[in-house]
Amino acid sequence: MQWPAWLKTKGRRRREARSRPFPDTWRAYLAKWVHYYNWLPPEDQAELEGHIHVFLDAKHFEGCGGMTVDDEVRVAVAGWASVLCLHRETDYYPILVSVLVYPDTFMAQGEQEAPGGVVVEDPDARDGESWDRGAVIIAWESLAEAREEGAPCNVAIHEFAHQLDLENGEYDGVPGLEDAELHEEWLRVCEHEFKRLADAADTGRETVLDPYGASDPAEFFAVVTEAFFETPLALRDKHPRLYKVFSRYFRQDPAVLEARASSKPA
Ligand SMILES: [Zn+2]
């Protein structure tokens, strides 16, 4: 018997979503837009595909400013959101209801409440925003250009990292860490590294981290998460302790994957 959708439990609905076949066209979109997918071994690719189904089943996508949100856009955004869920016990961004996609950078909407209700990325034109009232906003061109140019920035990783940060109540750069020892180590390492980045930003010294991460601890978490998945070998090389706490939280070792994909020494 077919149960109506509203009667299904969350767990059952997710299991059903995960078990749906993953279209080959969607795999091609992942290969094009989510290079991390290409780094993963087949069993992790399968896990990621399951997460993408659950994400797309649960979240509403909306095109803004004339943007047409087709499967390619949905799969690319859901792909990056799901990379951050791999190997972890996840509730799939429970606060998030809608993903709003603009064709290009957009101007701020409504009032600014940073660092409370909304994390804004730029006072004028924005690449993305992350709201605590259920929305992530992404400028497609910002994501697409970075992919095409091989740039290490990634607005999708950045905004979904803010959502993870928010899961335990506030934008403070500390996601939900149940392991007390990891929590302690996280605070110790991130405080030290945040100061290092702030010093580098003050003196104009370049590091593997975007100086924007020195804005506040929430931006630090989002920027390090971008580097963790985009340039993991460089992050591990220059900031080994930071890499290690992020690796423990995300339960992934992207530097090994990048080394394998690029034939660099692991
Ligand atoms: Zn941010």
Side-chain angles (χ1 to χ4, degrees):
M1 149 183 187
Q2 191 74 29
W3 291 87
W6 60 269
L7 262 180
K8 285 179 192 164
T9 64
K10 192 165 70 173
R12 184 184 162 136
R13 192 180 166 118
R14 286 177 180 175
R15 274 195 302 281
E16 281 184 12
R18 263 187 228 110
S19 66
R20 284 179 203 142
F22 202 84
D24 283 340
T25 47
W26 289 18
R27 289 203 176 100
Y29 298 149
L30 289 177
K32 180 177 175 187
W33 296 113
V34 185
H35 64 270
Y36 196 73
Y37 174 80
N38 301 323
W39 292 1
L40 292 170
E43 62 273 21
D44 288 352
Q45 288 182 332
E47 185 189 332
L48 191 82
E49 291 170 2
H51 288 323
I52 289 168
H53 269 314
V54 175
F55 186 92
L56 291 177
D57 183 61
K59 312 302 180 190
H60 171 72
F61 276 71
E62 194 178 325
C64 303
M67 177 77 188
T68 302
V69 176
D70 55 15
D71 277 357
E72 186 164 4
V73 172
R74 281 159 35 91
V75 169
V77 173
W80 283 114
S82 299
V83 164
L84 273 56
C85 300
L86 262 183
H87 299 181
R88 298 171 47 245
E89 236 179 74
T90 179
D91 199 20
Y92 298 96
Y93 307 100
I95 300 160
L96 181 67
V97 178
S98 296
V99 178
L100 278 54
V101 187
Y102 279 83
D104 208 334
T105 50
F106 55 92
M107 302 307 282
Q109 287 186 339
E111 58 197 281
Q112 295 181 35
E113 292 178 21
V118 54
V119 174
V120 297
E121 307 305 352
D122 189 280
D124 302 307
R126 309 258 170 88
D127 294 317
E129 287 181 5
S130 191
W131 292 67
D132 68 355
R133 291 189 292 272
V136 156
I137 313 178
I138 285 174
W140 174 251
E141 201 54 34
S142 304
L143 182 65
E145 267 178 14
R147 297 277 56 77
E148 280 159 3
E149 292 164 8
C153 50
N154 188 314
V155 63
I157 292 180
H158 187 104
E159 303 309 336
F160 286 110
H162 280 316
Q163 290 290 309
L164 289 183
D165 185 2
L166 192 61
E167 281 181 7
N168 59 350
E170 50 187 329
Y171 289 117
D172 60 357
V174 186
L177 299 162
E178 280 170 19
D179 182 319
E181 186 270 321
L182 175 58
H183 187 257
E184 219 170 276
E185 177 71 357
W186 183 281
L187 296 178
R188 201 165 32 231
V189 171
C190 288
E191 195 182 318
H192 172 73
E193 294 278 356
F194 177 71
K195 282 186 191 146
R196 266 180 80 190
L197 184 60
D199 287 346
D202 281 347
T203 55
R205 185 165 46 84
E206 280 208 16
T207 80
V208 297
L209 295 169
D210 184 341
Y212 185 61
S215 314
D216 60 49
E219 295 308 337
F220 182 75
F221 173 64
V223 161
V224 177
T225 304
E226 284 180 80
F228 181 73
F229 287 106
E230 286 284 349
T231 53
L233 279 169
L235 182 70
R236 192 184 65 178
D237 184 40
K238 301 290 182 195
H239 305 267
R241 290 178 67 207
L242 190 60
Y243 180 86
K244 194 166 180 196
V245 289
F246 272 67
S247 185
R248 288 180 66 193
Y249 168 64
F250 280 110
R251 297 174 182 272
Q252 298 185 61
D253 199 350
V256 170
L257 301 178
E258 187 188 6
R260 205 177 290 150
S262 59
S263 306
K264 290 180 188 164

